[in-house]
Amino acid sequence: MKKNRYSIFSLARNAVSYHRDWRAAWRSPDPAASYDVIVVGGGGHGLATAYYLAAEHKVGRIAVLEKGWIGGGNTGRNTTIVRSNYLWDESAHLYEKSLQLWEGLSQELNFNVMFSQRGVMNLGHSLQDMRDIYRRSNANRLNGIDSEILNPAQIKAMVPAMNVSANARYPVLGASFQARGGVARHDAVAWGFARAADEHGVDIIQNCEVTGICKENGVVTGVETNRGMIQASKVAVVAAGHSSVLGDMAGLRMPIESHPLQALVSEPLKPVLDTVVMSNAVHGYVSQSDKGELVIGAGIDAYIGYGQRGSFSIIEGNVAAIVELFPIFSRVRMLRQWGGIVDVCPDACPIISKTSLKGLYFNCGWGTGGFKATPGSGWVFAHTVAHDEPHALNAAFNMERFTTGALIDEHGAAGVAH
Amino acid sequence: MLQIECPWCGPRDQDEFQCGGEAHIVRPAAPEALSDAEWADYLFNRANTKGAHAEQWCHSGGCRRWFNVVRDTVSYKILSVYHVGDSPPQENP
Ligand SMILES: Cc1cc2nc3c(=O)[nH]c(=O)nc-3n(C[C@H](O)[C@H](O)[C@H](O)COP(=O)(O)OP(=O)(O)OC[C@H]3O[C@@H](n4cnc5c(N)ncnc54)[C@H](O)[C@@H]3O)c2cc1C
Ligand SMILES: [Zn+2]
């Protein structure tokens, strides 16, 4: 099936020709006049959607339209934390499906997404934090999701560099730990899904911005782009921070606000941290990449921002928290700092839904924490688009919940953490 | 980093302020008459404008008064500052 399989043998074969004959990982075709499904947005979620539409639902003609380059949005800007320890059943099941897909993803895509299950630790700094952690951890276990509670001595044994002293400004009282959580290589996820989708005939069209959504009598007929009008009977929008902009094009008002979210990485260091540490209370999270860089995530700015950059004061507070937790990081030099535009929903949960326009679907609202959901999001969204009906796993994440009041309040597990 | 012109205290560092989100959202006059869809629109739907956006700020680390700002959400440039209850100045691009 796979014409261009990556393996030890293809590596050896291509070494003979000095690696000059590798085929491009995906084609760059011109857009066709019409498609069965157009996916708007070439982030991880859009590419995964296209892949599962082609591979599992055998949809014929699919295009992914990306206004910049694939993975150039939040997919390539995030701190790559993957976990499934969400509080409520609806989200726990969705994120757990995604985690299970991660566990086989490199094999499925024949692309090393460097998924590393090094565990994710969520720290508690107060009695109330610990009560919430126990509650969430117990809820996770009832849902069959692995979760342990660690005391400060156990945390210290796992992460010697952390300050767990009782004299800390916000002492560490304990943590929940999901051993199956971890990190992955963000670019590889976009590239792996792109390559696998391309192999199934999906057209990936970069530098193609959607500027309008065409409709007739309440039915979608295609999209307007900077490369002309392209017809489609189904349009699936996965535009993260730009979801409201796309919503406006279709005449939909969205329960979403787009905020800047920042991250930074240090110069490479020798191994010092072999798990992921997150703290909602002091608002910092950190892991160490395979290259040795400390990858540090901050919080969102309270204002709306489409500028892919945020306020310096957010970084300052974030770094202060990290240094308080890890005093030995105080003299580490930072190499790069950047921002993404995250699409935040009032209940900190995504919208994966049909809309009032027939043939128009939205997948958005993942906010600060959708990277972990990339395969699962694509998987349920592909089902929703192919069948014009949600999968059981995403039925609750519909757009009507804001009218019916059936919100899924994940602020505790998702609002701050990623 | 923004420098924000408080109408009462003058130009101050952004750190002294808190952003209170979209401006001009009016509480429904007759809440009991609203449909669920109208409630949803009031409570949850937001303009989330890419471009000139009218929003509320509070000088929380200063005089603690609220005021409105029109700010470009791409360049973050503040285009105008005006009092709560006033309409946004018209000269905005
Ligand atoms: C700093 C930071 C840290 C984060 N950390 C984590 C983390 O640790 N763990 C986690 O799970 N999540 C994290 N997230 C969130 C995560 O990155 C996102 O939820 C997820 O990557 C969203 O994927 P996506 O494919 O939907 O969006 P994107 O990758 O943003 O893709 C959307 C694409 O749509 C394109 N687009 C927009 N408008 C148009 C148009 N008109 N026409 C064509 N294309 C268009 C954009 O160019 C973009 O490429 C973080 C985010 C940020 C910014
Ligand atoms: Zn003031």
Side-chain angles (χ1 to χ4, degrees):
Chain A
M1 197 65 186
K2 294 203 166 102
K3 288 173 245 142
N4 199 17
R5 250 194 106 72
Y6 293 157
S7 69
I8 185 80
F9 304 108
S10 66
L11 191 61
R13 203 167 50 245
N14 280 282
V16 176
S17 55
Y18 300 99
H19 298 293
R20 280 182 307 230
D21 297 334
W22 287 105
R23 274 197 3 221
W26 55 84
R27 301 159 297 128
S28 292
D30 287 327
S34 80
Y35 290 94
D36 298 325
V37 177
I38 285 178
V39 176
V40 182
H45 289 223
L47 293 162
T49 304
Y51 167 73
Y52 291 115
L53 274 170
E56 297 214 351
H57 301 284
K58 313 292 175 208
V59 171
R61 301 282 297 136
I62 305 168
V64 176
L65 308 184
E66 165 54 50
K67 76 176 160 93
W69 64 96
I70 59 167
N74 293 343
T75 298
R77 292 164 184 269
N78 80 95
T79 50
T80 79
I81 298 170
V82 175
R83 59 190 178 88
S84 66
N85 53 357
Y86 282 69
L87 175 66
W88 299 107
D89 292 353
E90 294 86 348
S91 17
H93 295 157
L94 180 63
Y95 287 100
E96 177 58 20
K97 168 71 188 175
S98 195
L99 183 49
Q100 287 171 12
L101 288 171
W102 276 110
E103 287 173 330
L105 200 60
S106 292
Q107 295 302 322
E108 161 141 19
L109 300 179
N110 179 230
F111 201 104
N112 187 0
V113 299
M114 296 169 73
F115 181 47
S116 158
Q117 292 179 293
R118 59 186 66 181
V120 174
M121 208 180 260
N122 291 88
L123 302 180
H125 302 269
S126 67
L127 193 56
Q128 188 58 45
D129 271 5
M130 289 314 295
R131 285 180 181 142
D132 291 341
I133 282 175
Y134 273 103
R135 180 183 180 209
R136 183 166 46 77
S137 188
N138 287 334
N140 292 157
R141 289 190 203 180
L142 287 172
N143 273 319
I145 294 170
D146 66 308
S147 176
E148 296 160 51
I149 303 281
L150 306 177
N151 64 33
Q154 291 168 308
I155 295 172
K156 187 74 183 169
M158 286 176 69
V159 187
M162 196 192 300
N163 174 18
V164 299
S165 128
N167 299 327
R169 174 70 181 81
Y170 298 103
V172 174
L173 301 185
S176 70
F177 185 68
Q178 184 177 24
R180 285 165 62 241
V183 290
R185 172 83 203 279
H186 45 18
D187 297 322
V189 176
W191 299 335
F193 271 117
R195 174 169 167 272
D198 176 88
E199 233 153 27
H200 282 86
V202 172
D203 285 356
I204 294 164
I205 301 163
Q206 306 186 69
N207 299 311
C208 183
E209 177 168 3
V210 171
T211 53
I213 291 177
C214 312
K215 50 183 176 179
E216 257 167 47
N217 307 324
V219 182
V220 160
T221 56
V223 294
E224 215 64 73
T225 76
N226 59 350
R227 301 186 61 178
M229 189 242 160
I230 310 175
Q231 289 180 335
S233 41
K234 291 181 176 178
V235 174
V237 179
V238 205
H242 279 81
S243 298
S244 299
V245 177
L246 270 299
D248 279 348
M249 294 177 197
L252 300 175
R253 254 166 76 75
M254 309 284 290
I256 283 186
E257 286 191 319
S258 300
H259 293 276
L261 178 65
Q262 302 179 84
L264 58 164
V265 295
S266 73
E267 59 191 353
L269 309 172
K270 288 189 175 174
V272 61
L273 179 62
D274 64 359
T275 184
V276 182
V277 174
M278 318 180 61
S279 167
N280 282 6
V282 302
H283 214 145
Y285 48 102
V286 57
S287 66
Q288 189 173 22
S289 76
D290 292 343
K291 268 191 285 183
E293 304 152 320
L294 297 176
V295 181
I296 298 174
I300 62 168
D301 271 286
Y303 56 73
I304 290 173
Y306 285 88
Q308 290 185 324
R309 61 188 190 285
S311 304
F312 184 70
S313 51
I314 301 276
I315 294 288
E316 203 178 15
N318 174 229
V319 168
I322 295 294
V323 169
E324 177 74 22
L325 274 177
F326 295 93
I328 67 162
F329 292 169
S330 67
R331 278 166 297 147
V332 172
R333 281 170 299 211
M334 293 298 147
L335 275 190
R336 294 190 303 281
Q337 165 265 340
W338 65 89
I341 314 168
V342 298
D343 41 333
V344 178
C345 255
D347 59 354
C349 275
I351 295 169
I352 316 165
S353 181
K354 298 165 69 168
T355 67
S356 49
L357 264 186
K358 179 139 183 61
L360 182 68
Y361 308 85
F362 263 84
N363 183 349
C364 57
W366 291 96
T368 59
F371 177 73
K372 64 178 72 67
T374 305
S377 158
W379 194 85
V380 295
F381 197 41
H383 179 104
T384 308
V385 174
H387 298 271
D388 194 35
E389 217 36 75
H391 188 273
L393 283 173
N394 68 308
F397 297 92
N398 56 49
M399 203 114 55
E400 292 81 63
R401 72 177 188 269
F402 299 98
T403 305
T404 62
L407 305 187
I408 307 156
D409 182 6
E410 275 292 357
H411 279 284
V416 170
H418 302 278
Chain B
M1 212 72 217
L2 303 177
Q3 191 184 54
I4 300 175
E5 175 102 21
C6 171
W8 292 277
C9 312
R12 296 295 181 94
D13 188 274
Q14 174 195 338
D15 278 359
E16 294 186 12
F17 298 85
Q18 272 176 341
C19 182
E22 186 176 330
H24 308 295
I25 298 175
V26 181
R27 193 178 161 78
E32 68 285 357
L34 289 199
S35 68
D36 287 353
E38 287 166 326
W39 264 121
D41 197 55
Y42 164 69
L43 285 175
F44 301 124
N45 290 342
R46 294 293 176 263
N48 198 21
T49 313
K50 184 178 184 179
H53 182 248
E55 57 198 21
Q56 319 173 85
W57 284 81
C58 180
H59 193 187
S60 48
C63 65
R64 298 170 64 186
R65 289 208 259 188
W66 286 91
F67 55 94
N68 290 339
V69 163
V70 177
R71 189 179 55 91
D72 185 311
T73 58
V74 180
S75 68
Y76 301 170
K77 189 175 176 213
I78 292 177
L79 304 173
S80 57
V81 175
Y82 57 102
H83 289 285
V84 170
D86 289 355
S87 316
Q90 279 313 306
E91 72 272 20
N92 292 311

